[in-house]
Each structure stands twice: as structure tokens, then as C-alpha cells.
Amino acid sequence: MVDVTDIGGFSPVLARALCHALQHLENTVHRPVCASTELAHLRSRFDRALPQDGMDPVQVIDELVRDVEGGIIGSTSGRFFGWVIGGSLPAALAADWLTSAWDQNAAIHACGPAEAIIEEVAGKWLKDLFGLPQTASFAFVTGTQMAHVTCLAAARHRLLSRAGWDVEERGMAGSTPIRLITSSERHGSAERAMRILGFGKRAVHALPADGQGRLDPISLTRALESSSEQPTIVLLQAGDLNIGAFDPFNELIPIAHKHGAWVHVDGAFGLWVAASPKYRHLLRGVELADSWTNDGHKWLNTPFDCGYAFVADADAHRSAFSHRTSYRVHVGDARDQIDWNPEWSRRGRGVATYAALRQLGRSGIAELIERTCIHAHALVMRIGSLPGAEVVWEPTINQGLVRFIDTKPGATEQDHDRRTDEIISRIVATGEAFFGGTTWRGRRSMRVSVCNWQTNATDVDRAVDATRRVLGNLAP
Ligand SMILES: *Cc1c(COP(=O)(O)O)cnc(C)c1O
């Protein structure tokens, strides 16, 4: 039997974990970036009978590593261009391990004083980097999804309290309905936040985006005037998921504010361009908004899960979440995370962010942003110029689109769509590069998204070569 109370038990198992982790991370260059094990196989490996008796921790970890084989995709690799997914910076990963070792409950300052302060400082640094007001409040949440929920709960508080309704006390039934005006290019997480908060999907009014993927001032004005008495949230994009489009904040935010609307910005990855002198202009006026979201686990390359919510109206933010109980311990002017977060018990999520920001510094972040944009541009233009391919969207930042053409005579748009999906899956199956698909403006495209700090010119070459081979093998 294993003595589960033996403190010396940490040493062998953590040493094994380190060994396995290094093997995983150092072999990404050689390993396929796609999964190579069938779902049924994976399930049969893990779905053993719930054990009656315990076992040695080292064996647990060794068998875990053996069983995940082929089921871990290469999202930490420099050849992973699917969705918008970053890897992990060394300092951020190490800090995240320590966060688990320290195992603090980051609900309140008293449960983990150092982590509360780290979060306080990391929040201040992020506002500085993004050019947001230092008076804005913030929360470290699981990702932009929960950052939307956090920010929109603050918006709900403020808009309804202006209408004489205490939503925290009375709930939504009987209150004035709130609408959300946005563009057709929004991410689905905004809609989910609206569902979770009880607004419902029908409260979302999507206006068509212009040729550059932006909401235009005239249609926004018209929409705001159409029901001018209704409490309104305007959701703008700082980097949309397909083409990385930025709404013209300095034009749109003053219009929305003139109509009394709350402006919320989805900046899941796009807010990071604030760190780069080359791209910062894309965010002009973004600091005028009322709330913002961003992810650390995408372009900053912290491990999952790490997202940030920022709210200009700190009072509305606190009113939406703060909860005082008799057993909470208040320490001086300490920041209790629970006053700003939807969670109660939670992970000390600020630690990995703090470490990532220190590893890179301002210049390192700017360099990471600009380097990934260069690689995204090269990938899209080089793949798009291969026979049988075309560029659909030339990246302005780190997101672009290409499409594959069915060359048979009389091929239709549907044929090109099918061809595009087929080529994507064939590229992925080579294990050389990972791309995802999307339907953009009614047509299938391959998304090219570069977020990983490790992506280099060799990775770009390998991805282009793999695509060239796939297209060559399919040539008529
Ligand atoms: C990834 C993403 C989201 C969702 O963020 P999560 O961190 O996955 O919750 C929302 N909006 C945009 C633009 C995104 O790229």
C-alpha cells in the first residue's frame, strides 16, 4: 500500500513530471502537430474501472503520459496556426506550476496575500500596456468568455440602475430590456454571455460590417436612434477572429456615448497590438470605452486559462460582484478578488501573467507581436501564391485567410468550398502544420493565425512546403 501522507512523496513524482514535460516540449519540432490517435482508442485507454485501491503517484503519472500519446495536439509548437491559440512562455509555465504547488485560494487577500498583490500589480501593468485608464477595475478570469460575462454584468448594473432598477436585488423580470448592438463579425462568446446573463440571444442586434470588417458610423447611428430610449450596450471588436479587424473606436465610441450606450470591446487578442508602435494606431480611441476583454492565453502565451476583464466604471463592476459575508476576513486596503470576479474559490491566475510580462518586458511583447504578424503575412502570401490557392485576406495583423480552388471546368463555389475543407484536412494529416477552417462572407477559407512565441521562419517554410506537397499530389 502507498503511504499517502508521506511528504517525501512529492519528490519522485514531480521529478518525473518535469522529465515528461521536457520530453514533450523539446520534441515538438519532430512530433506531428495533429492528433494521431482515434477517439475510441483514447477512450478505451482512459475509461478503466474506477480503482478500488490507490497506486504509486509515479506510476499514475507515467501511465497518464503513456495514455495521452497521440491525443495531445501540438498547440505548443511553432507550426500550430489553428483558431487563435498561443503556447506557453517558459517563465509563465514555470510560474503556473508553482501556482499549483503553492495551491492558494485566490478568492480573497487573506487566503493568499502574495498572489492577491501579484494580481493587483499585473492588472496595473496590463492597463498600462493597453493604454486603458489606470482607474479602471479588472478581474482575472478563465478567458474572454468569462470576461464578457464580467464586463456585461457591470454594464447591466449601470444601465438598469440608471433606469431606477436594482438588478442585483430584484433580478431581471420586470426590468427594462437591454439590447446589444454589434457587427456581424462578433465572436460567439458575446452571445453566450448575453444568454448567461439573462438578456437572451434576441437582445443581440448584428449590423453588417463594411469591406474591412468594421462597423460603420452611419449604421450604428441609425440603430441607436431606432429605439433611443432603450438601454443599450454597443459591442466593438479589437481584432475579429477571422481577419483581425478593428472597429474605428474614435468615431464609434463618441456616437454610442452620445446615445447613453455602454461600450464594450472584445479585445481577446487584438488589444495586444497596443504594445507595438507599428500597430498601435489600430486601437486609436479604444481607451474611451466602458469595458474591455483580453486573453493572456492567446498572444501573450501564458498557459490556459487566463483572461482579463477591465471596467472603467469600477463602482458598477464592484456592485455586480461584491458579496460580504461574516466569515470573510478583510485586510486593510487589500484587494479581494471576489469583489471583482464571478468565481469564489479560484486559482491564482495572476501569477503566470506576472511572470510572462516580466520575461518579455515591453520591448519583448512588441517584438513578439510584430514577429508573429510577419510570419502570418508570409504564410498567407506564400500559400496563397501556390497553384490552386488564392489569398482571401492579406493579414493586417496576425490573422489571414486563404482558399483552395477546384480546377475542374465549371467548378462552383460549393466545389471550391469542398476543395478548401479537403486541403485543410490533408495538410493537418501531414502533421507538419495545423490550420483550421472558417466560413467567411459565405465561403469556406483556411484560417492562418500566428500567436505562438516559438514560430520561426523554419516553421513557416515547413508549413508552406507541406501545403505545396498536398496541392501537388492532388493536381489533375
Ligand atoms: C478567443 C476569442 C474569444 C473567446 O475567448 P476565450 O478565451 O476562449 O473565452 C472571444 N473573442 C475573440 C475575438 C476571440 O478570439
Side-chain angles (χ1 to χ4, degrees):
M1 266 309 278
V2 182
D3 179 2
V4 291
T5 61
D6 176 13
I7 187 69
F10 280 119
S11 192
V13 72
L14 292 185
R16 288 300 286 171
L18 174 65
C19 188
H20 286 306
L22 289 177
Q23 233 168 41
H24 174 76
L25 293 168
E26 286 166 0
N27 283 337
T28 54
V29 184
H30 310 295
R31 244 200 335 266
V33 281
C34 58
S36 55
T37 304
E38 299 288 319
L39 179 130
H41 278 144
L42 281 173
R43 194 169 280 138
S44 70
R45 283 190 215 150
F46 289 102
D47 195 8
R48 38 173 76 87
L50 174 65
Q52 181 61 35
D53 299 312
M55 66 196 279
D56 178 55
V58 173
Q59 193 187 346
V60 173
I61 294 307
D62 282 349
E63 291 188 8
L64 182 67
V65 171
R66 181 196 69 199
D67 292 346
V68 300
E69 182 61 36
I72 302 280
I73 59 169
S75 52
T76 56
S77 135
R79 292 173 288 124
F80 192 89
F81 311 110
W83 301 284
V84 184
I85 286 186
S88 289
L89 289 162
L93 175 57
D96 198 58
W97 284 5
L98 287 171
T99 305
S100 292
W102 295 331
D103 195 22
Q104 306 279 283
N105 183 349
I108 56 172
H109 178 275
C111 282
E115 287 191 359
I117 300 298
I118 289 170
E119 207 166 301
E120 213 175 282
V121 173
K124 191 171 74 177
W125 284 356
L126 289 170
K127 285 184 278 182
D128 185 351
L129 274 167
F130 297 146
L132 305 182
Q134 269 305 333
T135 48
S137 53
F138 63 88
F140 281 63
V141 290
T142 47
T144 284
Q145 173 68 80
M146 284 311 289
H148 283 326
V149 169
T150 305
C151 292
L152 296 182
R156 182 177 68 175
H157 171 89
R158 180 54 68 225
L159 292 173
L160 290 181
S161 84
R162 272 191 216 144
W165 188 270
D166 182 344
V167 68
E168 283 75 34
E169 199 59 44
R170 304 176 72 179
M172 304 271 281
S175 67
T176 317
I178 291 178
R179 64 177 170 163
L180 179 134
I181 298 176
T182 183
S183 85
S184 48
E185 306 304 309
R186 74 198 173 279
H187 189 277
S189 55
E191 225 134 353
R192 285 184 83 221
M194 295 295 281
R195 285 162 49 191
I196 295 166
L197 288 167
F199 295 117
K201 263 167 41 179
R202 282 193 203 160
V204 178
H205 301 261
L207 308 173
D210 70 10
Q212 301 295 307
R214 299 171 306 199
L215 198 55
D216 86 273
I218 295 166
S219 49
L220 178 64
T221 307
R222 217 174 279 140
L224 285 164
E225 284 170 352
S226 75
S227 180
S228 58
E229 294 307 301
Q230 196 181 0
T232 302
I233 298 165
V234 172
L235 167 70
L236 302 180
Q237 288 288 141
D240 89 290
L241 77 158
N242 285 313
I243 61 168
F246 290 78
D247 281 318
F249 304 108
N250 54 351
E251 285 179 71
L252 300 181
I253 297 175
I255 295 172
H257 280 167
K258 202 177 88 193
H259 290 83
W262 176 290
V263 180
H264 175 59
V265 175
D266 182 345
F269 59 95
L271 270 190
W272 286 108
V273 306
S276 155
K278 186 169 165 197
Y279 295 107
R280 193 172 288 152
H281 66 276
L282 295 167
L283 289 168
R284 201 168 293 137
V286 79
E287 70 283 355
L288 303 171
D290 299 286
S291 55
W292 307 262
T293 70
N294 178 256
D295 280 326
H297 55 220
K298 290 178 179 168
W299 227 348
L300 180 62
N301 285 258
T302 68
F304 289 103
D305 43 26
C306 192
Y308 320 116
F310 303 93
V311 182
D313 182 343
D315 181 56
H317 184 181
R318 192 190 184 99
S319 300
F321 291 101
S322 185
H323 182 79
R324 301 270 149 169
T325 61
S326 55
Y327 57 86
R328 269 185 61 187
V329 181
H330 302 288
V331 185
D333 64 346
R335 178 182 184 276
D336 284 330
Q337 297 94 319
I338 196 175
D339 285 334
W340 314 99
N341 271 76
E343 303 91 353
W344 199 291
S345 295
R346 59 188 278 279
R347 181 174 181 75
R349 222 173 255 126
V351 182
T353 298
Y354 180 83
L357 295 175
R358 287 202 73 197
Q359 185 188 325
L360 294 177
R362 280 182 204 276
S363 65
I365 297 171
E367 205 258 332
L368 166 68
I369 299 307
E370 291 173 13
R371 174 163 34 93
T372 41
C373 290
I374 287 170
H375 291 318
H377 193 265
L379 272 171
V380 169
M381 302 317 280
R382 286 175 62 189
I383 291 176
S385 68
L386 295 172
E390 65 182 33
V391 174
V392 175
W393 188 266
E394 177 179 349
T396 35
I397 53 167
N398 64 336
Q399 311 288 315
L401 302 171
V402 293
R403 177 167 164 84
F404 299 104
I405 302 306
D406 189 331
T407 47
K408 78 167 176 254
T412 62
E413 287 296 334
Q414 285 74 24
D415 293 324
H416 302 320
D417 284 350
R418 260 194 300 276
R419 177 81 166 187
T420 298
D421 283 326
E422 185 190 355
I423 302 283
I424 296 170
S425 50
R426 284 180 187 240
I427 299 168
V428 171
T430 66
E432 279 290 283
F434 194 109
F435 295 100
T438 186
T439 300
W440 188 71
R441 297 189 182 164
R443 302 190 309 169
R444 296 295 292 161
S445 285
M446 182 171 92
R447 284 177 67 189
V448 176
S449 166
V450 185
C451 296
N452 199 298
W453 67 281
Q454 287 187 292
T455 299
N456 60 28
T458 310
D459 294 321
V460 173
D461 288 344
R462 282 176 70 174
V464 175
D465 288 345
T467 309
R468 182 185 293 116
R469 283 197 300 275
V470 165
L471 288 169
N473 290 342
L474 279 190

